[in-house]
Amino acid sequence: MEYAVQGTLDELGTPIDQITFVVFDLETTGVSAAEHAITEIGAVKVRGGEVLGEFATLVDPGSPIPPFISVLTGITDGMVVAAPRIGAVLPSFLEFARGATLVAHNAGFDVGFVKAACAAHGHPPPDHPVVDTVVLARRLLTRDEAPNCKLATLARLFSGTEPRHRALADARATVDVLHALLERAGSFGVHTLEELRGFTRAPTREQRRKRYLADSVPAAPGVYVFEDHRGDPLYVGKSVDLRTRVRSYFTASETRPRIREMVGLAERVRPIVCATPLEAEVRELRLIGSAKPRYNRRSRFPERAVWLKLTAERFPRLSIVREVKDDGAAYLGPFGGSRAAEDARAALHETVPLRQCTERITPRSRRPACALFGIGRCGAPCEGRQSPEEYGELAAAARRAMELDASAVFAAMEARMTRLSLDQRYEEAAADRDRLAAYIRVAARMQRLRALTSLPHLVAASPAADGAWEVHVVRHGRLVSAGVMARGVHPVPFVEALVATAETVVPGPGPLPAALAEETECVLRWLEGPGVRLVQVEGTWSLPVHGAGRLRARIDHAYRGMDSHRPREGRPER
């Protein structure tokens, strides 16, 4: 009974056996309600365990169905060619669901598509109460009973109907799951719709039991670390008010299943008070990168970043590597994965005819040229057709494109895309667009970071509450000291003391000699904030005149235009 939501004497709630539920499922061309369309609707109306009616129809999505969706659902273009459009189907479905409580498995997905369809065709958004069987199952089932809450898993427990990614079959299976879960919920004192909705929003037993973990957390900016019984970090976060943030993990507002699971395993919360919010943000990144807490998803594996390297050898080539070395090579990055690095490398190869073979070329080595020489994409230094001096000019152009001047790559790729488009080779042009975007975005990011990481020493201050100032010391892009200077304090001794106690930095090789890209970006965002004043700067803080930053906006604008006008899945409109 402890989970029940007690009604008032005037309104005890609507008994569940008197509630009309419309359990529905959709099949779609993709996962985005803004970009994809509905291909099938299936719904079952039930009350008191009795089926009152069913609704099922295919829907013409208005564009070809992607092949992988057809494989998954079995719905093909031929099946929907004579089906009605969603504008004709929607009024019938809304009438079928009038006055009912909507039920779906992962309801946010299905309800999101219905709302998008209503908005597109001038219908008011549905205001029905909604029950999500995924959320209900997570509250009522243990891991021993169900390893996950997928519909197929729950249907094997509670239903004779096998889900098969067809709307009506999945809706029928969800009906059986709903009835089984409602029966279990009754043992927790859930007998009305109001109690059912409150039950799914209430904090779990573990959340309530662990509330004491927040008692000793101070109300100050900093980092908090949830730890298990061995002291191993489970989750790392930051906040400007540690106590308020940590307390929120033990309330109904925290609904993320993995975080609720983490709270159940936590035995203590270790606060790390920081002088400023920027220090807290940086410490959070460092802790996540070093401890790799299993319940953090972001920034856990910074070492997986890759770089595009122009090797330092007699005839340099572009290579994808995971480590930056002090070897005289030029580096572009970091990239989030090998695919983006390969795209950027392809863009550079389209502009500068560097060799693409991987063998080392020595004065004594000679071997036949590859096919790239025949099509004019390589000067064949392997055959001795190019001298080191001639090839060195190409390598210098590639280094300049990576570090200083992006205009040559942009012009070459733009001209190639124009030629391909005129020849109606649109897929190839789109591939080149993606390659150019990968190069421009990473080059712009690296040049922006390098402008700060090249500075041996920087002190800056920003206004804080009550006339105070947040002061930070940064060396080679790494935050090395932070403090808050109270109103009326003389700045010179305060800054001198902060600098004297700052961390000593010995820079390493490459564009990021002392910190990860994420940390330097945090510092840059703070430096670019309103009211920030530079106090001390050693070196020159500047960006290349012809750098990639000036072209980044054009790339982003092109993608926005493509996203808003291109057909779904890149196919022509029917």
Side-chain angles (χ1 to χ4, degrees):
M1 295 290 292
E2 59 179 311
Y3 290 95
V5 178
Q6 179 64 50
T8 66
L9 292 175
D10 296 327
E11 185 180 358
L12 295 176
T14 308
I16 287 178
D17 60 1
Q18 297 179 20
I19 298 296
T20 300
F21 293 105
V22 168
V23 184
F24 77 107
D25 183 75
L26 305 178
E27 299 303 331
T28 65
T29 60
V31 297
S32 171
E35 297 182 7
H36 301 111
I38 297 170
T39 59
E40 188 177 35
I41 302 176
V44 182
K45 183 181 292 186
V46 295
R47 184 173 62 238
E50 179 184 355
V51 176
L52 304 180
E54 293 184 339
F55 179 97
T57 180
L58 289 167
V59 181
D60 181 0
S63 63
I65 299 174
F68 72 94
I69 295 292
S70 293
V71 171
L72 179 67
T73 65
I75 301 173
T76 63
D77 288 332
M79 294 170 62
V80 300
V81 68
R85 292 289 188 98
I86 188 62
V89 171
L90 190 59
S92 300
F93 174 71
L94 295 177
E95 180 61 30
F96 181 79
R98 182 188 299 275
T101 295
L102 295 179
V103 180
H105 199 73
N106 191 17
F109 175 87
D110 299 280
V111 173
F113 269 89
V114 172
K115 287 182 176 179
C118 288
H121 294 88
H123 297 281
D127 58 355
H128 306 66
V130 177
V131 174
D132 191 336
T133 49
V134 170
V135 176
L136 198 56
R138 285 170 178 161
R139 294 300 313 276
L140 292 167
L141 302 180
T142 65
R143 285 293 182 93
D144 294 335
E145 294 176 285
N148 57 61
C149 291
K150 295 178 181 178
L151 182 57
T153 303
L154 301 182
R156 283 193 291 270
L157 288 174
F158 303 125
S159 176
T161 303
E162 181 181 356
R164 52 190 180 89
H165 292 290
R166 290 301 302 269
L168 185 58
D170 289 8
R172 288 169 175 167
T174 306
V175 168
D176 295 337
V177 171
L178 173 68
H179 286 158
L181 294 176
L182 291 178
E183 184 177 349
R184 290 199 176 200
S187 64
F188 291 92
V190 176
H191 302 295
T192 68
L193 177 62
E194 290 72 19
E195 290 170 343
L196 178 65
R197 300 183 71 193
F199 175 74
T200 58
R201 293 193 297 264
T204 64
R205 181 186 295 108
E206 284 295 325
Q207 283 180 294
R208 292 197 306 276
R209 188 174 69 82
K210 297 290 182 68
R211 284 175 179 169
Y212 72 91
L213 295 179
D215 292 346
S216 60
V217 177
V223 176
Y224 54 91
V225 184
F226 281 86
E227 298 176 337
D228 62 14
H229 66 282
R230 296 190 301 255
D232 294 333
L234 296 170
Y235 185 83
V236 176
K238 69 177 186 305
S239 179
V240 295
D241 187 336
L242 288 172
R243 176 176 294 175
T244 299
R245 182 67 185 101
V246 171
R247 281 179 173 174
S248 71
Y249 285 87
F250 308 103
T251 66
S253 63
E254 180 52 76
T255 59
R256 293 171 292 176
R258 65 186 181 87
I259 297 301
R260 286 189 168 191
E261 180 182 285
M262 181 275 296
V263 168
L265 298 174
E267 292 296 329
R268 65 186 64 87
V269 178
R270 176 164 58 93
I272 304 173
V273 176
C274 299
T276 67
L278 176 60
E279 183 188 1
E281 189 173 3
V282 167
R283 283 185 178 273
E284 179 198 32
L285 286 171
R286 293 178 185 173
L287 279 170
I288 293 173
S290 60
K292 296 178 174 47
R294 54 179 145 158
Y295 287 95
N296 282 96
R297 291 180 174 175
R298 183 177 64 91
S299 305
R300 282 179 62 194
F301 300 103
E303 66 276 6
R304 291 183 179 177
V306 297
W307 295 80
L308 186 59
K309 174 182 179 179
L310 181 66
T311 58
E313 53 184 312
R314 194 161 179 257
F315 294 97
R317 58 188 176 85
L318 293 172
S319 176
I320 297 174
V321 299
R322 291 195 176 276
E323 183 181 0
V324 175
K325 298 180 179 179
D326 188 10
D327 55 3
Y331 291 89
L332 178 65
F335 294 87
S338 297
R339 175 65 182 273
E342 289 168 358
D343 283 345
R345 178 168 63 179
L348 283 165
H349 278 150
E350 288 291 343
T351 308
V352 184
L354 296 174
R355 69 184 183 97
Q356 300 183 34
C357 53
T358 58
E359 296 84 358
R360 181 174 291 275
I361 300 176
T362 66
R364 296 182 179 180
S365 64
R366 286 287 187 276
R367 55 183 174 274
C370 64
L372 291 176
F373 171 69
I375 60 175
R377 299 283 298 277
C378 179
C382 54
E383 268 191 350
R385 294 176 179 271
Q386 253 180 332
S387 68
E389 292 74 24
E390 292 171 331
Y391 191 90
E393 294 180 4
L394 298 177
R399 178 185 285 265
R400 187 165 57 252
M402 294 167 69
E403 297 179 344
L404 298 173
D405 189 352
S407 56
V409 177
F410 191 93
M413 294 298 289
E414 190 175 40
R416 176 178 162 82
M417 285 187 286
T418 300
R419 291 195 303 272
L420 291 171
S421 298
L422 291 174
D423 293 338
Q424 297 186 357
R425 295 160 64 183
Y426 300 118
E427 291 186 358
E428 294 177 65
D432 278 348
R433 178 203 64 208
D434 294 341
R435 292 166 183 158
L436 178 60
Y439 160 74
I440 290 293
R441 286 171 173 167
V442 170
R445 183 191 187 203
M446 187 191 77
Q447 290 163 7
R448 179 170 173 266
L449 294 173
R450 198 166 197 161
L452 181 61
T453 61
S454 64
L455 300 179
H457 177 79
L458 179 146
V459 181
S462 67
D466 301 324
W469 288 83
E470 295 177 358
V471 185
H472 297 100
V473 183
V474 181
R475 291 171 179 166
H476 294 288
R478 181 180 180 87
L479 180 66
V480 293
S481 189
V484 177
M485 184 177 66
R487 182 178 184 178
V489 172
H490 197 286
V492 174
F494 183 89
V495 171
E496 289 178 348
L498 205 62
V499 170
T501 56
E503 174 188 353
T504 299
V505 173
V506 178
L512 301 173
L516 296 174
E518 289 80 4
E519 175 177 335
T520 303
E521 284 180 324
C522 289
V523 175
L524 276 168
R525 282 195 298 270
W526 177 79
L527 286 169
E528 294 166 353
V532 174
R533 300 185 183 182
L534 298 181
V535 179
Q536 297 175 359
V537 180
E538 291 182 13
T540 302
W541 188 10
S542 63
L543 288 169
V545 174
H546 300 291
R550 66 193 181 93
L551 302 170
R552 173 67 187 267
R554 291 179 63 181
I555 290 291
D556 293 341
H557 177 75
Y559 268 84
R560 282 195 296 270
M562 293 281 185
D563 291 339
S564 59
H565 293 101
R566 65 183 176 187
R568 294 184 182 92
E569 301 299 329
R571 293 171 170 78
E573 293 287 359
R574 182 179 297 166

